Amino acid sequence: MATDPHQQTYDVIIVGGAIMGSSVAWWLSQSPDFQGRILVVERDPSYALCSTAHTNSCLRQQFSEPLNVRISQFTASFIKNLRANMGGDPRIEDLTIQSFGYLYLAHNKAHADALRAAQAMQRRLGAATRILSRDEIAQDFPFYQLDDILLGSHGTRDEGYWDGGALFDWFRRKAVAAGVEYVAGEVEAITTAQDKVVNVTLSSGQTLSCGHLVNAAGPRARLVARMAGLDIPVEPRKRFTWVVKAERPLDRQLPLTIDPSGVHIRQDGPETYMIGARPDPDPAVDPDDFHMDHGLWEHHVWPIVATRIPQFDALKIVHEWAGHYAYNTLDQNAVLGPHNKVENFYFINGFSGHGLQQAPAMGRGLAELITTGSFQTLDLCPFGYDRIVEGRPIGETAVI
């Protein structure tokens, strides 16, 4: 990746070149309403430490807000028809979804009622979700210990694992092919005047004029916003993942099971399973902190997994890592669109674990906003920055 931009002036500068930044770049490059220059500035050209590289790469329909369901439905359609959607390039394979489904387990009446209400809404939107009684869960998945469970909500179509890394790669590659410029470096300063971003200064010392600036910096979103004198309630929160091998693997696919404790586990291979958890307490961390908490596994995660699935009393860790949520402390949902005062500073931040599955729709939406001034497909206005100013959270309850 080059380190020196070819131009001094860009219509759009995108800070962060992982899946969100590359989605915006590609959608802009495909828009007949946009003919300008695009620069993507990426601090880590290997992408080894970005959130995209540490994702568990899953997709679900099971949200409590209809707009989030529609966003996931668009992603499912987009990736299953990826070649056609990206111009018919024969190198591009349509992606598949390993639809083992999510299974939310409810252990109290309030959670059960919330799952029932959400599932009714999801079905109205065409999602293939179903409510299972405790006996029905036991019949379909007899390996669970369910003494404390009232019911579950399970998805049977377009819910599960997919290759998000491949989508990111094609967003980036096709954006470059369309003329988008990527450079390795960091934005170190953002200059505003008369409520507009006018230029950015890179770590090389080079200053570039800027028509629109897009903050796609993931867990570093707040640091980028502060360069422009702005703020956003997004911070890095650490999330842990373990890939384990079971001495006694299950005789059928394991849904992505969300235990009431928040620990979640899913099928990862014929005899391997992926387990995720958050720390408790769950503080903001340095964006460069990828240290594993081995005590969390030993004293918290493994006992929960072995209690819920007694057959998993013997697990061997084969891989583990820590990654970051770009965690929106207001409501754990995205912030999308312009700042309320600095009109050409755009956010695509704060996805709080939903980012990979929302990247196609969110990149498209922000490209529409930049080129036409309004959303042309999905109305994504509820994710706007105004709600941050007003302290008005989105009511999404299905947050993992």
Side-chain angles (χ1 to χ4, degrees):
M1 188 184 295
T3 56
D4 296 320
H6 295 155
Q7 310 294 334
Q8 294 294 318
T9 300
Y10 291 88
D11 297 275
V12 178
I13 294 178
I14 301 172
V15 185
I19 197 163
M20 286 300 168
S22 290
S23 176
V24 175
W26 181 76
W27 284 105
L28 279 172
S29 75
Q30 301 303 297
S31 172
D33 299 312
F34 183 83
Q35 303 298 323
R37 295 170 177 163
I38 305 167
L39 177 70
V40 179
V41 183
E42 171 53 47
R43 67 186 304 274
D44 174 21
S46 74
Y47 298 100
L49 300 180
C50 67
S51 293
T52 301
H54 293 95
T55 178
N56 291 355
S57 200
C58 284
L59 173 70
R60 61 183 163 112
Q61 314 285 308
Q62 292 189 71
F63 288 93
S64 67
E65 287 292 318
L67 183 53
N68 280 329
V69 178
R70 293 190 180 100
I71 289 169
S72 288
Q73 290 173 330
F74 172 71
T75 295
S77 174
F78 184 82
I79 64 178
K80 289 191 295 184
N81 300 281
L82 188 63
R83 182 187 299 115
N85 288 325
M86 300 196 83
D89 187 330
R91 298 173 299 168
I92 300 176
E93 294 185 9
D94 292 332
L95 301 181
T96 59
I97 301 168
Q98 186 182 356
S99 292
F100 44 66
Y102 281 55
L103 177 61
Y104 283 84
L105 297 176
H107 70 307
N108 59 43
K109 184 178 183 301
H111 193 191
D113 289 345
L115 289 180
R116 287 192 189 96
Q119 187 268 345
M121 175 272 295
Q122 294 154 12
R123 294 289 293 190
R124 288 195 296 271
L125 294 179
T129 54
R130 57 180 183 157
I131 294 296
L132 300 176
S133 68
R134 178 165 55 190
D135 289 345
E136 289 169 330
I137 298 172
Q139 180 176 349
D140 287 357
F141 309 106
F143 43 78
Y144 291 120
Q145 188 285 115
L146 298 168
D147 289 349
D148 60 331
I149 298 302
L150 300 180
L151 57 79
S153 180
H154 182 232
T156 61
R157 185 181 68 240
D158 290 344
E159 278 203 348
Y161 169 80
W162 60 288
D163 190 349
L167 177 64
F168 161 54
D169 188 51
W170 281 114
F171 272 150
R172 181 179 54 83
R173 292 171 65 181
K174 298 300 281 186
V176 170
V180 175
E181 191 178 341
Y182 279 66
V183 295
E186 292 191 65
V187 172
E188 291 200 341
I190 299 171
T191 304
T192 61
Q194 299 180 337
D195 293 332
K196 285 190 175 181
V197 175
V198 293
N199 57 55
V200 303
T201 301
L202 304 184
S203 50
S204 63
Q206 190 170 0
T207 296
L208 306 173
S209 297
C210 177
H212 304 269
L213 185 137
V214 175
N215 182 353
R220 297 176 183 270
R222 197 170 210 166
L223 301 176
V224 172
R226 284 174 175 170
M227 293 181 199
L230 311 177
D231 196 22
I232 183 174
V234 173
E235 59 190 32
R237 295 280 186 96
K238 196 180 287 189
R239 292 295 180 267
F240 298 100
T241 300
W242 298 265
V243 175
V244 301
K245 187 171 184 178
E247 184 175 291
R248 295 187 294 150
L250 304 175
D251 64 354
R252 65 200 73 191
Q253 275 198 330
L254 176 65
L256 196 157
T257 306
I258 300 96
D259 188 80
S261 65
V263 173
H264 49 93
I265 179 170
R266 69 166 173 87
Q267 194 79 34
D268 189 59
E271 295 184 358
T272 57
Y273 304 88
M274 181 176 285
I275 301 169
R278 61 179 179 268
D280 185 17
D282 183 19
V285 299
D286 188 280
D288 292 317
D289 177 6
F290 294 94
H291 178 73
M292 284 297 295
D293 181 352
H294 299 288
L296 184 68
W297 167 262
E298 187 70 24
H299 302 296
H300 179 67
V301 175
W302 180 79
I304 288 172
V305 170
T307 298
R308 182 63 61 205
I309 305 176
Q311 196 169 326
F312 284 174
D313 57 346
L315 299 175
K316 178 182 179 181
I317 296 173
V318 296
H319 189 36
E320 61 185 2
W321 66 87
H324 296 135
Y325 275 8
Y327 190 90
N328 180 351
T329 60
L330 176 67
D331 59 15
Q332 295 83 66
N333 275 263
V335 182
L336 186 79
H339 188 265
N340 62 323
K341 293 182 179 178
V342 182
E343 60 187 33
N344 65 340
F345 187 107
Y346 291 83
F347 299 98
I348 184 165
N349 305 115
F351 289 87
S352 307
H354 309 152
L356 197 76
Q357 64 186 303
Q358 296 193 329
M362 295 300 197
R364 179 183 65 171
L366 192 54
E368 292 169 349
L369 205 56
I370 291 170
T371 55
T372 72
S374 62
F375 297 115
Q376 302 299 308
T377 48
L378 283 174
D379 181 1
L380 302 174
C381 287
F383 296 108
Y385 186 80
D386 285 349
R387 85 178 195 280
I388 305 299
V389 177
E390 298 166 6
R392 176 173 42 84
I394 290 174
E396 180 60 64
T397 60
V399 177
I400 300 175

